[in-house]
Amino acid sequence: MQLTKFTHSCVRLDDGDRALVFDPGTFSEVEQALDGADAVLITHEHPDHIDADRLRAALAADSRLRVWGPAGVTGQLADFGDQVVTVERGASFDAAGFAVRTFGGQHALIHPAVPTIANLGYLVEDSVYHPGDSFTVPNVAVRTLLLPTNAPWSKVAEVIDFAIAVRAPKLHQIHDALINDVYASIVERHLTMIAGPFGVELTRLAPTEVVDV
C-alpha cells in the first residue's frame, strides 16, 4: 500500500485499486484526500478530524463512497442512509476491501471540565494504526503507527511512552498542524533517543508526501 500524509491527522491509503481516507478534517486538504476515495474512517467528531460540509459534498457527489465512524460522527450524516455506518470499539469490518478493526472508544482527557466523547482507533490490514485522539494501545502487532505528536490532551512523555508501548517499527507523525519545525525536531530527537532502542523509528512526512507501507 501507499500512504499519503496530509496536513494534521488526515491520511490516505491506496493499494492501486482502492483508496481509504482517515480523518479529513478542517486543517487538511480534504478535496485532494477524498478525490477518488472509496471509504472514509472518522475517529471522532471534532472538526479537525471531520470537515462535515466537505465530506457531505463528497458523499453527495459519489454514491459509492462509504463512511464509518462513532455515533457522534454518523449522526451528522444520517441523511445519507447506508452510505454511513456507525461502529463501536471491538468491531471488525470490510471498508472498500480493506480489513479494519477498531480499538479504544474514548477521546483522551483534555481537562476534567471538558466532557469526553467517543473516539475510535482503526487498524487497517493488520498494518497501519490510526489512534485518533487517544493513546489506546491495540492488543495486536502494528507495523506502522500514525503517532499524534502534539495536542491539548498530551505531553511529549506520553507520546514517547505510547510509541514504545505499541512497538511499531515504523512511525509517521499526525496531529501536528499546530506545531512548527523547531518543536517537531525536539519531539523527533526525544523519540529517537528514548524510543529508538525499542526498535521504533519515526519518519517525519511533509503534507502530501507519499511512502510505501
Side-chain angles (χ1 to χ4, degrees):
M1 292 186 293
Q2 286 192 318
L3 181 154
T4 305
K5 162 74 168 74
F6 293 96
T7 300
H8 204 52
S9 284
C10 183
V11 174
R12 174 168 167 147
L13 296 177
D14 288 271
D15 72 353
D17 297 316
R18 320 160 281 179
L20 178 152
V21 177
F22 300 98
D23 283 5
T26 54
F27 299 161
S28 308
E29 302 84 356
V30 173
E31 287 88 355
Q32 184 178 351
L34 294 178
D35 185 24
D38 302 286
V40 180
L41 304 179
I42 306 293
T43 61
H44 65 285
E45 63 198 69
H46 286 160
D48 57 325
H49 294 259
I50 173 175
D51 186 323
D53 289 341
R54 288 192 283 180
L55 184 55
R56 291 180 65 85
L59 285 164
D62 185 355
S63 62
R64 299 170 304 154
L65 182 63
R66 296 290 183 271
V67 177
W68 286 260
V73 168
T74 58
Q76 302 178 51
L77 308 169
D79 50 312
F80 285 95
D82 62 4
Q83 283 184 265
V84 180
V85 182
T86 302
V87 286
E88 298 180 348
R89 65 180 179 179
S92 297
F93 57 94
D94 178 286
F98 293 93
V100 181
R101 289 196 271 176
T102 62
F103 296 88
Q106 182 173 297
H107 191 286
L109 182 67
I110 299 172
H111 186 276
V114 178
T116 57
I117 60 171
N119 178 93
L120 295 174
Y122 295 102
L123 178 64
V124 176
E125 293 292 326
D126 286 329
S127 177
V128 178
Y129 181 55
H130 192 310
D133 280 10
S134 80
F135 289 135
T136 298
V137 178
N139 59 353
V140 295
V142 173
R143 293 200 290 272
T144 300
L145 171 63
L146 303 175
L147 179 66
T149 53
N150 174 261
W153 43 267
S154 78
K155 56 185 180 181
V156 173
E158 295 171 323
V159 173
I160 294 169
D161 286 346
F162 180 55
I164 292 170
V166 176
R167 299 286 178 93
K170 294 182 180 180
L171 310 177
H172 301 299
Q173 92 289 357
I174 58 170
H175 217 281
D176 59 340
L178 301 183
I179 63 177
N180 60 24
D181 285 340
V182 174
Y183 183 79
S185 296
I186 292 171
V187 174
E188 187 173 1
R189 184 168 67 249
H190 284 305
L191 274 164
T192 299
M193 178 178 64
I194 301 170
F198 291 90
V200 303
E201 180 180 2
L202 174 70
T203 300
R204 183 153 48 112
L205 302 178
T208 71
E209 187 170 352
V210 180
V211 293
D212 291 324
V213 294

